[in-house]
Amino acid sequence: MTSSRSKDKVKYDNQLIKFFLSEGFSNIKTNHLSFKVLLRKRYNLFLEIEKFKRQINKKITLSKIETDIFKIYKEIKSIIQCLNDLSSGRYRWLYPLLENLKKEIKEECLSQENRVGCLPLEEIDFSLKDKIGIPAAQLGEIKNKLDIPVPPGIVIPLSQGVLKKQYEEEIEQCIKRWGHPATISIQISPLNKEFWLLPKLEVLTRIWKEELLIVLEDIKYQIQTWQTYVGKESSLEGSIIIQKSIKPKLSGILYTSNPSCPEQPLIFLKDNKNFLLIEDNKPPFIESLLSYAERIKSYFKEDIILGWEVDENEKIYICQCVPINSPILKFSFQSERKIRTDSRKDFQKSISISEEAFFNDLKEKITSLTIALPESEDLAVVVNPKEFKTFRDLSFFSHEAAVRELFLLEKEGPLHILKDPRIPITFYLLDIGDGVHQQALFKREITISDICSLPLLILWRGMTHEDVDWKGAVEFNLGGFFSVLSRSFIETSVKREGGKGYFVVARNYLYLRLRLAYHLMNVEAFFREEGDNYLIFRLQGGGAGSSGRHQRLLLLRDILEPLGFEVEITSDLICGLYLGPRDKKLEITLNYLGRLLAFTRQLDMTLHDQEKRKTYVETFLKDYYRQITKIENS
């Protein structure tokens, strides 16, 4: 018996023994330490990115978002530093890429700070005059600083005479709050004083979009006419003021200065299309109107023109306000305008990039993964720096490069070979700390019983589950087969053994890179006793035609999302991130990722349509839901 146990223990590899006793091992330990620091920084990065996404969705202040972006930048810079520490500085060229991305994002944020979004009149004051125009700014100042009645409304930015798409919903919400009045009023507040427009247009609420389109087109026509007349180019910048119609009984204009008698205001009453001067028999509300005018004139310290309205209860509202000494381009809308049937389509075509789009673009630049890495072991020499488009690209590349650097450095070092008769794949395993039992440290070939990495043990149970078949043939589709034959990158490295994989493990960490036929899969797990843990699943490529590959990506999305992953698909790459506490659900989910590796190995060859995809998804998730239900019930 003693002799038998001795024979079992003599399976040590002499090369490994020599390596662990050499000075090279201390250098390797330093590299392992750098990689562990990288993992901690990457974990922090995931948390910062999730926080950033939540802030973006809440649409909080831009300064707060910029603070979060800077934290993300710092974590990525630390990750790049760790990569350079374990590669003797071979990736210093990543620093200027990071700085350029940071500069681009900063410039976009500064540009956004100079824009104004859709604001209610309650939030408007004169400080915004250079962004929304004098008419809108003065109206807000009158309402909020002087407490003079102004009809409720919103101010919406214009750019090149174009309304931004997201504001449609804002306008609809205002109309709903106003109780869906039959009409609303529209007026323009240009930045250019030559285009300050006095008239205000009442439009039918149910077709306000079409009406607004025609208003903008009419204004542009007037501007073109003015440009031709004075020989000067200009564009319509400023804002649109949309207000609830108060159904005025009377309306008109007031000039605080009379050319013939400067101290005597002029008051005009609108009568159909004409304005009549009020001289005698002044209505009783005129005294209140004159009092408002005097207060406004004293406040702005200049003479002004006021548009006023009186409702059925004799309440006075100020609806327009511009300086009296400004050149006013008089403009009358056609009394009978035909609503074109294609005006809605034209309106949609005229939509420019909105504030919503800015936040979406910012989110893309921070969190999206757009880069696909080649198969080369040495990423430092094969990746084009121009391919990096986002912060996420840099962090993803840095981690992948670090893994490959570890294997490059340790080809002759402490690499173990993990084999299991149930899986026809050779796995090369690198232990960076307590991932392999001490008694197996000097063994070149190891089995799963030699592993003490918790994430790998959980994943392996899924990979070797009784329902998983790594060897059996999958249902075959001839179309997919011919697509494979037509592809120029057919590889011959995958033969009877089915492929090869690479593990990096520690007691609470797992990284798997698995090449199977024509696609590459990654699984990563990082466990912590406190706080969130993360799981990552990635698949790229495939052997079938684009339809089969696309169906498989959709199948993986339909599986990963119910498992709790946040999924994104780019070209033929799918990436899923799971963040959650250290609990039984986390372990079950990782177990099912192991099953998923085998489940999807050649599905791009067999998926033909949506119904078949649905069947596969239901089949896979059925048992998963049963396991989760057990946890919830217990």
Side-chain angles (χ1 to χ4, degrees):
M1 294 291 290
T2 304
S3 175
S4 175
R5 279 198 295 268
S6 297
K7 288 182 179 179
D8 291 337
K9 292 180 180 179
V10 185
K11 295 180 181 177
Y12 295 136
D13 185 272
N14 290 331
Q15 188 179 7
L16 281 179
I17 295 172
K18 289 179 181 179
F19 178 80
F20 281 117
L21 297 176
S22 69
E23 293 182 1
F25 180 56
S26 61
N27 296 331
I28 291 296
K29 287 179 69 176
T30 301
N31 292 331
H32 291 179
L33 179 61
S34 295
F35 188 75
K36 288 178 180 178
V37 174
L38 184 150
L39 291 179
R40 288 197 295 272
K41 294 296 182 181
R42 192 157 174 260
Y43 172 78
N44 294 338
L45 175 64
F46 284 140
L47 297 184
E48 290 295 342
I49 286 178
E50 287 305 306
K51 179 182 174 185
F52 167 77
K53 288 177 180 177
R54 290 194 297 270
Q55 305 286 34
I56 282 282
N57 292 336
K58 290 179 181 177
K59 297 178 183 176
I60 63 164
T61 61
L62 195 57
S63 60
K64 176 61 177 169
I65 290 175
E66 285 181 297
T67 300
D68 292 338
I69 292 173
F70 183 70
K71 290 178 181 177
I72 292 171
Y73 157 81
K74 284 178 63 178
E75 296 296 348
I76 296 175
K77 190 171 184 180
S78 297
I79 290 171
I80 294 174
Q81 181 62 53
C82 292
L83 171 61
N84 278 289
D85 287 345
L86 65 85
S87 65
S88 301
R90 292 188 340 116
Y91 295 86
R92 291 193 183 95
W93 51 272
L94 289 173
Y95 289 116
L97 296 181
L98 177 63
E99 296 302 323
N100 287 339
L101 271 174
K102 178 190 172 187
K103 182 180 178 182
E104 287 177 17
I105 292 170
K106 180 66 175 177
E107 288 174 352
E108 288 184 18
C109 289
L110 287 173
S111 175
Q112 184 66 16
E113 285 175 352
N114 294 323
R115 303 174 193 159
V116 176
C118 176
L119 294 173
L121 277 172
E122 289 79 6
E123 296 180 21
I124 299 294
D125 59 41
F126 199 64
S127 66
L128 297 173
K129 62 183 176 62
D130 294 330
K131 298 177 181 179
I132 61 175
I134 290 282
Q138 291 196 156
L139 205 57
E141 194 83 358
I142 290 169
K143 179 178 179 67
N144 301 311
K145 299 295 178 64
L146 298 181
D147 200 27
I148 292 175
V150 172
I154 54 175
V155 176
I156 303 166
L158 277 175
S159 177
Q160 299 292 323
V162 175
L163 180 70
K164 301 178 181 182
K165 180 174 177 57
Q166 99 220 46
Y167 301 137
E168 290 183 40
E169 184 177 347
E170 301 263 9
I171 296 170
E172 293 286 4
Q173 290 297 321
C174 279
I175 290 172
K176 184 178 180 180
R177 287 197 299 272
W178 297 338
H180 293 283
T183 60
I184 56 175
S185 68
I186 296 175
Q187 58 178 304
I188 310 299
S189 174
L191 296 182
N192 193 327
K193 64 183 181 181
E194 281 86 1
F195 304 145
W196 280 338
L197 308 175
L198 196 58
K200 187 177 71 160
L201 180 68
E202 297 286 327
V203 303
L204 294 174
T205 302
R206 61 183 174 82
I207 52 172
W208 70 264
K209 292 181 186 179
E210 291 85 347
E211 293 272 13
L212 181 55
L213 174 65
I214 292 174
V215 170
L216 293 175
E217 288 178 343
D218 287 346
I219 293 171
K220 289 176 184 177
Y221 174 75
Q222 295 289 337
I223 290 174
Q224 290 171 0
T225 303
W226 181 83
Q227 288 176 172
T228 302
Y229 178 73
V230 300
K232 180 180 177 182
E233 290 190 4
S234 187
S235 63
L236 180 58
E237 303 286 344
S239 63
I240 304 170
I241 308 168
I242 296 182
Q243 292 173 281
K244 178 183 178 181
S245 176
I246 65 166
K247 299 179 181 178
K249 180 174 69 173
L250 297 171
S251 64
I253 301 169
L254 184 150
Y255 291 76
T256 58
S257 177
N258 183 338
S260 59
C261 183
E263 299 301 319
Q264 182 65 42
L266 289 175
I267 305 175
F268 293 89
L269 177 68
K270 186 177 181 182
D271 179 24
N272 292 325
K273 293 183 180 180
N274 301 313
F275 287 90
L276 306 176
L277 179 63
I278 299 177
E279 296 180 295
D280 302 319
N281 300 320
K282 295 180 180 179
F285 65 82
I286 289 297
E287 289 302 319
S288 296
L289 177 61
L290 288 171
S291 174
Y292 286 161
E294 185 59 35
R295 285 175 59 195
I296 295 170
K297 176 181 176 180
S298 299
Y299 184 83
F300 290 112
K301 296 181 173 57
E302 64 178 336
D303 283 302
I304 52 173
I305 307 171
L306 295 178
W308 56 267
E309 293 177 344
V310 178
D311 68 9
E312 294 177 350
N313 298 317
E314 301 270 322
K315 182 175 181 178
I316 302 170
Y317 291 87
I318 302 300
C319 54
Q320 293 167 291
C321 179
V322 293
I324 202 169
N325 59 357
S326 62
I328 296 175
L329 175 63
K330 293 195 176 179
F331 160 1
S332 60
F333 297 99
Q334 299 175 3
S335 58
E336 294 183 4
R337 291 173 296 144
K338 295 181 179 179
I339 302 297
R340 299 192 309 273
T341 57
D342 63 343
S343 60
R344 176 180 288 272
K345 187 186 298 182
D346 292 342
F347 180 83
Q348 295 292 343
K349 287 181 180 177
S350 70
I351 290 166
S352 66
I353 296 176
S354 64
E355 186 180 79
E356 185 76 22
F358 162 76
F359 283 112
N360 287 336
D361 289 344
L362 190 59
K363 188 176 178 181
E364 290 281 317
K365 209 155 227 175
I366 301 292
T367 67
S368 289
L369 181 61
T370 68
I371 193 170
L373 300 184
E375 280 300 290
S376 171
E377 291 181 336
D378 192 354
L379 291 180
V381 297
V382 297
V383 174
N384 185 348
K386 293 181 180 179
E387 293 181 15
F388 294 91
K389 302 291 192 302
T390 69
F391 274 4
R392 173 87 175 279
D393 287 345
L394 284 170
S395 64
F396 168 65
F397 172 85
S398 297
H399 176 263
E400 288 295 309
V403 171
R404 299 190 198 187
E405 285 291 327
L406 287 177
F407 279 100
L408 275 174
L409 291 167
E410 305 187 32
K411 273 187 173 180
E412 304 301 325
L415 284 182
H416 302 282
I417 297 175
L418 175 62
K419 288 188 174 182
D420 190 311
R422 295 168 292 181
I423 304 177
I425 299 171
T426 298
F427 292 99
Y428 297 91
L429 184 143
L430 174 62
D431 176 24
I432 60 172
D434 301 325
V436 175
H437 287 297
Q438 285 293 317
Q439 59 266 32
L441 198 60
F442 300 134
K443 292 168 63 175
R444 180 68 72 180
E445 289 195 11
I446 60 175
T447 66
I448 195 63
S449 62
D450 295 313
I451 300 298
C452 54
S453 168
L454 180 58
L456 176 51
L457 290 172
I458 295 171
L459 182 77
W460 202 264
R461 285 199 292 269
M463 294 173 67
T464 57
H465 189 271
E466 59 183 9
D467 293 336
V468 170
D469 183 9
W470 287 90
K471 299 178 181 178
V474 296
E475 180 188 343
F476 200 68
N477 171 249
L478 195 59
F481 174 69
F482 281 122
S483 176
V484 170
L485 292 182
S486 68
R487 294 169 73 85
S488 61
F489 60 87
I490 291 179
E491 300 190 5
T492 58
S493 60
V494 182
K495 300 179 182 177
R496 294 179 185 176
E497 293 182 343
K500 58 182 178 179
Y502 299 88
F503 279 116
V504 178
V505 296
R507 181 172 292 277
N508 289 312
Y509 176 74
L510 154 75
Y511 170 87
L512 167 64
R513 184 167 178 267
L514 179 60
R515 180 72 171 176
L516 286 178
Y518 307 101
H519 58 268
L520 177 68
M521 291 186 283
N522 291 107
V523 174
E524 191 177 351
F526 186 82
F527 285 6
R528 290 168 58 94
E529 293 300 330
E530 297 180 359
D532 279 341
N533 300 252
Y534 71 75
L535 305 175
I536 295 175
F537 180 90
R538 273 191 298 268
L539 182 141
Q540 180 180 339
S546 58
S547 175
R549 296 199 306 278
H550 182 64
Q551 286 295 329
R552 182 169 61 179
L553 293 179
L554 295 180
L555 175 139
L556 287 170
R557 180 202 64 190
D558 295 345
I559 289 175
L560 291 171
E561 287 182 345
L563 265 59
F565 284 81
E566 182 178 337
V567 178
E568 62 179 316
I569 296 176
T570 306
S571 185
D572 65 348
L573 168 70
I574 184 169
C575 183
L577 172 65
Y578 176 102
L579 281 173
R582 176 76 172 274
D583 56 14
K584 200 67 177 176
K585 182 183 176 184
L586 177 79
E587 295 184 8
I588 290 176
T589 302
L590 180 55
N591 179 297
Y592 273 78
L593 288 187
R595 304 185 197 191
L596 193 60
L597 292 172
F599 183 73
T600 61
R601 60 194 173 101
Q602 284 183 287
L603 280 184
D604 58 336
M605 302 285 285
T606 67
L607 285 170
H608 320 311
D609 52 50
Q610 186 173 345
E611 285 303 314
K612 175 157 278 193
R613 186 181 90 224
K614 184 178 179 182
T615 301
Y616 279 127
V617 171
E618 290 175 351
T619 300
F620 185 87
L621 290 177
K622 185 177 180 180
D623 188 59
Y624 172 78
Y625 287 135
R626 187 165 61 247
Q627 296 295 330
I628 294 299
T629 302
K630 285 181 181 179
I631 297 174
E632 293 173 349
N633 291 338
S634 62

